[in-house]
Amino acid sequence: MDDMPETLIERVAMMEGILVAAATGGSPDGHAYELLRRELLHDDEAKALLPSFVRTSRTLDAFWPFIKDRFGRYQERRAFIREAFTPLMDHLEGRNRAPGDAVVGDALASFDVDGVHAVWTKALARRTADPEGTITVARTLLEAVCKHILDGLHIDYAPKDDLPKLYGLVAAGLKLAPDQHRDVPIKAILGGAMNLVNGLVTLRNRFSDAHADDPPTDERPRVRPSPRHASLAVNAAGTIATFLVETYQERGRG
């Protein structure tokens, strides 16, 4: 198409508009939708945050039964589509990004685009709208990094090993354990990294949706995390993950 938008955010906005038109009696461009869908599914930054109905609807003819059966009113359909595109649009506009996001994202992308970086992107998108889910994703991010490195170093681990155990194996394998160093400042930094990992696990157990079904008690009341708690978890996980990735790239493959 000659009039295809140049920037990624413009293409996402165009796709959203086409879907709204298809759902509300407009005259959508089905060919443009198919081209945009194909391009966005091949874009690593957009793919992880595309609405699920875009991934499953290859054409507008396939999308129509989905939206028609789900909502009867145009206003409801329009609101649903716009809400579904909000995480991706917010991510592209930078609303949910902290200063270190780009650095962490680049490091993880060079490590494992389809795995670790996808988890990181998901965490960035969710931390404002879904703090509880984000805290769980932050832990998943670190677990994915640890397992990937352990596989690369040919170090065995059990399927049920928790994050502190996985991190301990990685730290030993990459010579990042505090007791492997004599220099006091280095020992302190590496000990702090281990404390961050343990703190993330505690935060996740306290706040995350992994324990959403546990009934609250007087001794352990239900506490709802805020976006700042989620940002803390994401940034801590991203910092440690990047440190591990960079160390693995420098030492682990040598």
Side-chain angles (χ1 to χ4, degrees):
M1 284 182 60
D2 294 335
D3 56 349
M4 184 68 70
E6 294 184 1
T7 67
L8 180 57
I9 193 170
E10 288 173 339
R11 294 185 181 195
V12 172
M14 182 177 182
M15 170 171 275
E16 180 182 325
I18 290 173
L19 288 168
V20 168
T24 57
S27 301
D29 188 334
H31 180 60
Y33 168 79
E34 292 171 31
L35 288 177
L36 288 167
R37 177 181 177 274
R38 188 158 48 245
E39 290 189 11
L40 294 174
L41 285 175
H42 283 84
D43 186 285
D44 293 324
E45 186 175 11
K47 180 179 178 181
L49 297 176
L50 273 176
S52 60
F53 55 79
V54 173
R55 294 194 293 272
T56 57
S57 301
R58 291 187 173 89
T59 66
L60 292 181
D61 287 340
F63 170 70
W64 170 243
F66 163 80
I67 196 68
K68 177 177 68 72
D69 294 340
R70 192 177 186 101
F71 301 104
R73 302 177 62 182
Y74 284 178
Q75 182 178 359
E76 294 174 328
R77 296 173 186 173
R78 188 179 297 109
F80 171 77
I81 294 169
R82 298 204 186 287
E83 182 178 353
F85 274 91
T86 294
L88 177 54
M89 292 296 289
D90 282 355
H91 175 71
L92 295 176
E93 291 176 350
R95 292 178 185 171
N96 291 333
R97 294 186 183 181
D101 290 351
V103 175
V104 175
D106 289 345
L108 296 182
S110 65
F111 178 63
D112 181 4
V113 172
D114 293 329
V116 177
H117 189 245
V119 177
W120 170 253
T121 304
K122 184 179 180 181
L124 292 181
R126 292 176 63 177
R127 65 181 167 188
T128 298
D130 182 13
E132 294 185 25
T134 296
I135 293 171
T136 297
V137 173
R139 175 171 172 168
T140 301
L141 170 67
L142 265 183
E143 288 177 341
V145 168
C146 289
K147 289 178 180 179
H148 191 98
I149 292 175
L150 290 172
D151 290 339
L153 296 177
H154 306 291
I155 297 175
D156 294 332
Y157 57 91
K160 293 185 178 181
D161 281 347
D162 59 13
L163 179 56
K165 175 66 174 180
L166 293 171
Y167 180 82
L169 291 172
V170 170
L174 294 177
K175 295 182 173 56
L176 296 176
D179 59 8
Q180 292 174 314
H181 296 264
R182 296 181 179 180
D183 190 76
V184 174
I186 297 298
K187 289 174 67 74
I189 291 173
L190 295 177
M194 192 164 290
N195 288 335
L196 270 178
V197 172
N198 292 328
L200 179 63
V201 173
T202 301
L203 185 68
R204 182 258 192 180
N205 290 341
R206 177 64 169 159
F207 286 142
S208 78
D209 60 359
H211 296 274
D213 294 332
D214 292 348
T217 65
D218 291 338
E219 294 78 15
R220 185 178 50 78
R222 179 73 171 135
V223 179
R224 298 287 182 181
S226 69
R228 63 188 175 87
H229 295 124
S231 290
L232 174 64
V234 170
N235 288 322
T239 297
I240 299 301
T242 301
F243 178 55
L244 295 178
V245 168
E246 292 176 343
T247 304
Y248 173 68
Q249 289 173 334
E250 180 180 330
R251 303 178 185 175
R253 297 175 181 176

